[in-house]
Amino acid sequence: QVQLVESGGGLVQPGGSLRLSCAASRIIFSRYIMGWYRQAPGKQRELVADISPGGTLNYPDSVKGRFTVSRDNAKNTAYLQMNSLKPEDTAVYYCKAVRPGYTYWGQGTQVTVSS
């Protein structure tokens, strides 16, 4: 079965950095849009970044300039580099793979930004 496994979350101080990884298995990774979403307690899940098979990037204004999404098709892995982290970035971060007719989610990784 398809698996998306996130890693790299943890506790970081404000202003710090983290790099999340999403390792995919049993999909043709290069055909999927890979997205990162987050969900804070009591809030809806929201898009953080995504990258198309061709490398087109998409970010909401809340993270633009601080977060960078990338992918390595040879390793079936997507990444989210998060810099200048703020307490409001605290959430569970999820990886999503999507192409027409197919959507898969990872189990999530906790990111906590606190001093």
Side-chain angles (χ1 to χ4, degrees):
Q1 66 190 44
V2 174
Q3 279 193 315
L4 299 178
V5 180
E6 300 98 334
S7 61
L11 174 64
V12 63
Q13 292 188 340
S17 298
L18 282 175
R19 187 193 195 203
L20 305 184
S21 298
C22 171
S25 58
R26 296 183 175 87
I27 60 171
I28 303 176
F29 182 82
S30 61
R31 296 183 182 179
Y32 284 76
I33 297 171
M34 297 303 299
W36 288 96
Y37 290 72
R38 66 186 180 189
Q39 188 166 20
K43 294 189 176 182
Q44 289 192 335
R45 192 172 296 189
E46 62 176 357
L47 174 69
V48 174
D50 64 33
I51 180 168
S52 73
T56 299
L57 309 178
N58 179 40
Y59 305 97
D61 288 343
S62 58
V63 306
K64 201 172 291 184
R66 300 190 298 123
F67 290 10
T68 302
V69 60
S70 61
R71 66 191 298 158
D72 185 335
N73 289 339
K75 295 183 178 180
N76 285 2
T77 302
Y79 303 96
L80 184 68
Q81 178 67 44
M82 305 186 293
N83 299 327
S84 302
L85 282 161
K86 305 174 182 180
E88 52 263 42
D89 295 318
T90 295
V92 178
Y93 283 69
Y94 297 90
C95 174
K96 176 183 175 182
V98 62
R99 72 177 181 95
Y102 299 89
T103 301
Y104 303 104
W105 289 92
Q107 82 289 348
T109 185
Q110 177 69 45
V111 171
T112 302
V113 185
S114 175
S115 55

